[in-house]
Amino acid sequence: MSKKIVVAIDGYSSCGKSTMAKELARTSGYIYVDTGAMYRAVSLYCIENGLMTDTKIDAETLEKQMSDIHISFQTNSSGKTEVFLNGENVESKIRTLIVANGASRVSALGFVRKELVRQQQLMGQQKGIVMDGRDIGTVVFPDAELKLFLTASPEIRAQRRYDEMKAKGENISYEDVLANVIERDDRDVNRAESPLRKADDAIELDNSNITQEEQRNILKTLFEEKLL
Ligand code: DC
């Protein structure tokens, strides 16, 4: 059996973590886990069950209902991993700005993080996994063999996100997307529970000015080095 490792990819929102992680998982035959999708699923649950308004989250009820929230991943016929919430495919529902905003709020709650981290650690028990998020290298898998910390300027990330949303036909302005990116960065970095930060042993990669192909090659080299 060839050696299997855990790859942790952390970084700011919309800096291409998932593209990078998915591709590495595909080419290496590893499992890919998008932990942001799990926080988004909890956010969607809160919205659909009236537990979250613009100003408040009913944390007490959410905590009681955490055991009713079942999140899983399934690979569809095109090989794309999709997230399911209590048996429903919510992959497209969770990709809206409202759900993303809610996700950054629910992800500040200690009991939500504790439960999702527990599930993530179970998924990685056998190794052979690429996981992306904000706290993978620091909290979920502090012993991961390969840790990357991705960054890119807020303007570049907002532009990428804006292009993606426009392509999906969403009616949104670049300014709104940029404001949202900045607001989420602020929450991710400044929350008390597992704030976003680079693990001491993570390799930092600023992809503001490199092509996807260059990025892919850097990751491939780093990954192969770890398998030696
Ligand atoms: O990566 P994303 O945009 O899908 O993440 C959604 C939100 O969830 C984001 O605001 C940060 C949070 N998150 C987190 O706190 N920890 C993770 N491991 C993954 C995401």
Side-chain angles (χ1 to χ4, degrees):
M1 264 283 273
S2 61
K3 179 178 168 185
K4 289 205 165 192
I5 65 169
V6 171
V7 182
I9 303 185
D10 288 305
Y12 294 92
S13 67
S14 309
C15 63
K17 297 183 299 295
S18 69
T19 308
M20 193 181 197
K22 268 183 220 159
E23 183 157 299
L24 178 64
R26 187 176 52 76
T27 53
S28 58
Y30 276 26
I31 291 167
Y32 164 61
V33 177
D34 171 0
T35 62
M38 299 172 76
Y39 290 94
R40 285 170 184 258
V42 174
S43 162
L44 180 67
Y45 178 90
C46 289
I47 294 168
E48 291 189 335
N49 291 278
L51 302 184
M52 182 155 60
T53 64
D54 283 352
T55 51
K56 221 178 154 315
I57 301 177
D58 182 351
E60 202 181 314
T61 308
L62 176 61
E63 186 165 13
K64 285 196 196 116
Q65 295 184 3
M66 273 313 281
S67 55
D68 300 332
I69 304 179
H70 300 286
I71 301 166
S72 60
F73 292 95
Q74 282 182 32
T75 308
N76 71 15
S77 53
S78 346
K80 186 174 180 285
T81 309
E82 295 177 322
V83 65
F84 284 68
L85 171 62
N86 292 337
E88 181 194 347
N89 183 341
V90 293
E91 185 56 39
S92 59
K93 272 192 184 174
I94 62 163
R95 303 290 165 196
T96 64
L97 275 187
I98 293 170
V99 174
N101 246 326
S104 97
R105 290 164 64 203
V106 295
S107 68
L109 299 170
F111 65 85
V112 172
R113 300 205 71 83
K114 194 167 170 226
E115 174 54 21
L116 296 191
V117 166
R118 188 188 67 79
Q119 295 181 17
Q120 291 153 9
Q121 288 172 334
L122 280 177
M123 293 173 191
Q125 253 177 355
Q126 312 295 323
K127 302 204 173 198
I129 194 161
V130 185
M131 197 173 268
D132 73 21
R134 305 293 189 286
D135 59 342
I136 312 306
T138 50
V139 176
V140 183
F141 294 118
D143 297 328
E145 288 84 351
L146 177 57
K147 297 183 187 177
L148 272 135
F149 190 79
L150 275 191
T151 62
S153 73
E155 290 74 18
I156 286 187
R157 288 184 283 129
Q159 187 66 51
R160 290 177 187 157
R161 191 88 194 94
Y162 172 76
D163 292 344
E164 256 173 44
M165 295 177 103
K166 275 277 157 192
K168 280 196 215 153
E170 287 188 40
N171 182 19
I172 186 102
S173 74
Y174 167 78
E175 287 69 30
D176 282 351
V177 179
L178 178 61
N180 182 262
V181 163
I182 293 171
E183 186 186 333
R184 289 169 63 204
D185 282 0
D186 181 59
R187 263 195 228 127
D188 286 349
V189 171
N190 293 314
R191 67 174 176 233
E193 291 281 341
S194 313
L196 171 64
R197 66 169 183 84
K198 178 184 158 310
D200 293 338
D201 52 351
I203 297 161
E204 184 163 345
L205 182 63
D206 182 335
N207 69 12
S208 300
N209 297 305
I210 59 171
T211 64
Q212 286 207 1
E213 166 132 34
E214 284 166 329
Q215 173 167 295
R216 196 176 299 136
N217 290 336
I218 294 170
L219 182 60
K220 185 167 178 275
T221 307
L222 292 170
F223 178 70
E224 284 168 359
E225 277 169 12
K226 294 290 176 187
L227 295 181
L228 294 177

